[in-house]
Amino acid sequence: MSTILAIKQRAARGDSVAQIAREEGISEPTVRKYRDMDDFSPQVKPRKRRGSKLDPFKATIDRWLAEDRKRRPKQRHTAQRVFDRLVAECGYDGSYTIVQAYVKKRKAELKGAKDEFLNLEWAPGEGQVDFGVCDFRVLGVMREVHYLVVTFPFSNVSLAQCFWGETSECVCEGLKAVFEFCGGVPTRLVFDNATGVGRRVGQAVSTADTFTRFAAHYGFDFSFCNPNSGHEKGSVENAVGAIRRNLFVPVPRIDSLPAYNKRILGRCLDRAGKDHYLKGEPERQLFMEDCVAMADLPAKPFRVAKIVTAKTDKYGDACLDGRHRYPLGPDHGEERVIVELGAFRVAFYDGEGTQIAAFDRAYGDAPTKASDPMSQLALLCRKPGGWQNSAVRATLPKSLARSMDSMGRADRGTMLRMLRDVSADAGYEAAVAAMAALGADGGVPSRADVALAAACTANGQGSIAYDDSPDLGMYDAVFAKEA
């Protein structure tokens, strides 16, 4: 640059090209080049990229790493495994070092792309849907409850409905209640996954028939989040926890879940008494914009039900989900019946469409039978004064019933609560059989003994028989000395 500066200065003073070239020791074309140059600003010059032996194989490596994102973390390619496959399958003859560097770079880029969160905008009338789980005390019994949350991100208002499960009937029943409460149908709903709505296989989701009919009836659009992408519905993710903390603490004590659902919608809206955390406007006011943007409700409400068929056994019992039995009577033994499954009720019809019977729908893993007086048992624990004429007493073996008749109010209450709690785990029949066997002497057996005996009965094991009777002589000797 010092020579170039000298050329520019001497040219400015009027020195000839030949003189500058001779005295500076450079050629005349060089003098003319820098004399006439008008921009000496520093320039960023990219480095010339040299070719690499790995270039022809980078597309293959990218494909392998992209496929790895669908695999378990411990079954993904390491740099060494990529190198070995390139050599064995693709004829690569370069070094391991450049493979290792490229794999490390691409994995970092893929991870960064995965962790990018979009700042999503939600229009009025659009909603997000998800489930949460909590405990309720129902008729004195602690039970697990699944609550459906529908939140409207535009207003940040969230509404909830409670159910015993997460079936498509529960989803549709909850959405129907929310639609009717809002007075309209959301334009679009985004679901976390296919639980209760359908079945996800990879990226494809096959919706359940009940939900498909429900969506067609109300005419709303719906979509599903990408797997492991809860940020795409962050509003409802936060709402699930907020509703649990604010509405379900302390544990609600209720008698009927459907009745509780009618009250909870108003309580949810009462929470919208603050300004929106971003917009600064009242949430209730924004919720009115949500409701105005919704489509009109159809003329006829949707009847939420799943229609299936079942065959009764020789006693006339229909078994659903492999563990919940509903008695239709001997007249309907070994008969094909039509079953209408709702969120809370299940109804049975004959081939002509005439209703045979209807029951409360059972959920859970414990075996149940609709004729079991489980609901009355829970109420009887709260009101033990009705013991003598209760349906519970009528179903017990005579020996057990007489034994409980002779007990005081406190002991009888203990027995009833024990029967209630053990029945929830092992089933009513198994619990009754266990208590009849252990309480034959008129005493109150321990809950641990009853639970163990009931579990053995429920599993088909029966009572444990020992080859040799136990020798209690040593205990008799000890007690005789103490006496």
Side-chain angles (χ1 to χ4, degrees):
M1 284 300 303
S2 60
T3 302
I4 295 173
L5 177 60
I7 292 173
K8 296 292 288 186
Q9 290 174 340
R10 297 186 65 170
R13 291 197 300 265
D15 292 350
S16 66
V17 172
Q19 182 183 359
I20 296 173
R22 183 174 58 255
E23 294 179 1
E24 295 293 336
I26 54 178
S27 66
E28 292 185 8
T30 300
V31 174
R32 293 189 185 94
K33 172 184 176 181
Y34 290 108
R35 181 197 64 183
D36 299 335
M37 185 177 291
D38 59 359
D39 186 6
F40 292 91
S41 302
Q43 302 292 327
V44 177
K45 296 181 180 180
R47 289 187 299 174
K48 293 183 179 179
R49 183 178 179 277
R50 295 183 300 173
S52 167
K53 285 189 175 182
L54 191 62
D55 287 346
F57 307 96
K58 287 182 177 179
T60 301
I61 297 174
D62 289 346
R63 187 178 74 253
W64 291 346
L65 297 181
E67 292 172 352
D68 274 354
R69 301 182 72 183
K70 304 175 184 178
R71 307 287 186 263
R72 296 176 182 272
K74 292 186 178 181
Q75 287 184 276
R76 296 177 181 177
H77 284 80
T78 62
Q80 183 65 53
R81 182 56 183 151
V82 170
F83 175 76
D84 292 341
R85 287 191 66 185
L86 289 176
V87 173
E89 302 174 20
C90 305
Y92 173 70
D93 60 354
S95 70
Y96 166 74
T97 304
I98 57 175
V99 173
Q100 182 189 39
Y102 183 75
V103 169
K104 181 179 180 180
K105 174 187 173 185
R106 289 297 294 139
K107 283 187 175 182
E109 292 172 350
L110 291 172
K111 181 179 180 181
K114 179 180 178 181
D115 291 341
E116 290 177 356
F117 291 171
L118 296 178
N119 187 14
L120 304 178
E121 295 291 336
W122 295 86
E126 294 183 329
Q128 302 174 5
V129 185
D130 200 1
F131 267 105
V133 180
C134 63
D135 290 329
F136 277 28
R137 189 172 292 278
V138 185
L139 290 171
V141 181
M142 193 70 76
R143 297 190 61 180
E144 183 179 83
V145 170
H146 301 256
Y147 60 100
L148 180 80
V149 177
V150 181
T151 187
F152 301 95
F154 178 80
S155 62
N156 201 38
V157 170
S158 304
L159 304 173
Q161 289 284 275
C162 302
F163 301 94
W164 300 123
E166 297 184 11
T167 64
S168 58
E169 300 81 60
C170 295
V171 173
C172 295
E173 190 68 43
L175 292 178
K176 177 184 174 182
V178 169
F179 294 174
E180 293 176 351
F181 181 80
C182 296
V185 181
T187 55
R188 185 171 73 99
L189 293 175
V190 177
F191 294 83
D192 179 24
N193 50 49
T195 300
V197 175
R199 186 177 184 182
R200 180 186 290 277
V201 179
Q203 294 294 331
V205 176
S206 175
T207 56
D209 179 72
T210 304
F211 179 78
T212 304
R213 291 174 178 272
F214 180 83
H217 185 91
Y218 286 99
F220 62 87
D221 190 18
F222 62 90
S223 60
F224 299 91
C225 289
N226 293 312
N228 302 317
S229 301
H231 60 278
E232 295 181 7
K233 56 166 187 52
S235 178
V236 73
E237 291 276 353
N238 294 330
V240 167
I243 286 178
R244 182 191 296 112
R245 292 188 297 271
N246 290 278
L247 299 186
F248 303 150
V249 176
V251 174
R253 296 172 178 267
I254 66 172
D255 291 344
S256 168
L257 205 54
Y260 181 78
N261 276 341
K262 295 179 181 179
R263 304 192 301 269
I264 193 176
L265 291 171
R267 293 185 61 197
C268 288
L269 191 57
D270 289 341
R271 295 183 57 248
K274 58 185 184 303
D275 289 345
H276 193 280
Y277 66 101
L278 286 179
K279 299 182 175 69
E281 301 178 52
E283 290 180 345
R284 279 179 176 269
Q285 180 177 324
L286 294 172
F287 181 61
M288 293 301 297
E289 296 185 42
D290 271 321
C291 295
V292 170
M294 296 181 187
D296 293 335
L297 290 168
K300 294 182 179 180
F302 185 77
R303 184 178 180 180
V304 179
K306 177 182 179 181
I307 308 300
V308 297
T309 61
K311 187 175 181 180
T312 61
D313 60 18
K314 63 181 180 180
Y315 302 105
D317 291 351
C319 186
L320 303 181
D321 298 326
R323 52 190 174 273
H324 304 304
R325 306 184 72 83
Y326 301 88
L328 307 184
D331 293 342
H332 299 283
E334 297 184 333
E335 179 182 331
R336 179 68 62 178
V337 294
I338 301 170
V339 186
E340 183 185 49
L341 286 165
F344 294 105
R345 295 282 286 173
V346 54
F348 296 88
Y349 300 83
D350 61 19
E352 302 299 323
T354 303
Q355 187 176 109
I356 301 171
F359 306 91
D360 288 338
R361 183 174 178 179
Y363 290 87
D365 296 329
T368 64
K369 189 173 183 179
S371 60
D372 295 347
M374 286 293 294
S375 59
Q376 296 186 36
L377 177 58
L379 186 60
L380 187 60
C381 289
R382 294 175 56 184
K383 300 179 179 180
W387 157 255
Q388 196 64 36
N389 299 312
S390 66
V392 174
R393 183 183 183 281
T395 61
L396 298 180
K398 291 183 179 180
S399 60
L400 180 59
R402 286 195 298 266
S403 176
M404 293 179 65
D405 287 343
S406 63
M407 293 179 180
R409 185 184 181 93
D411 286 346
R412 187 185 304 124
T414 300
M415 292 285 283
L416 289 172
R417 289 189 295 272
M418 191 185 306
L419 179 60
R420 177 196 67 188
D421 296 340
V422 175
S423 296
D425 296 326
Y428 183 76
E429 293 180 355
V432 169
M435 293 187 71
L438 296 173
D441 58 354
V444 178
S446 72
R447 177 171 175 171
D449 290 341
V450 173
L452 177 59
C456 292
T457 301
N459 294 330
Q461 181 177 342
S463 60
I464 301 174
Y466 296 94
D467 295 333
D468 299 322
S469 59
D471 182 8
L472 304 179
M474 64 177 67
Y475 297 101
D476 292 337
V478 171
F479 291 138
K481 291 180 180 178
E482 291 181 354

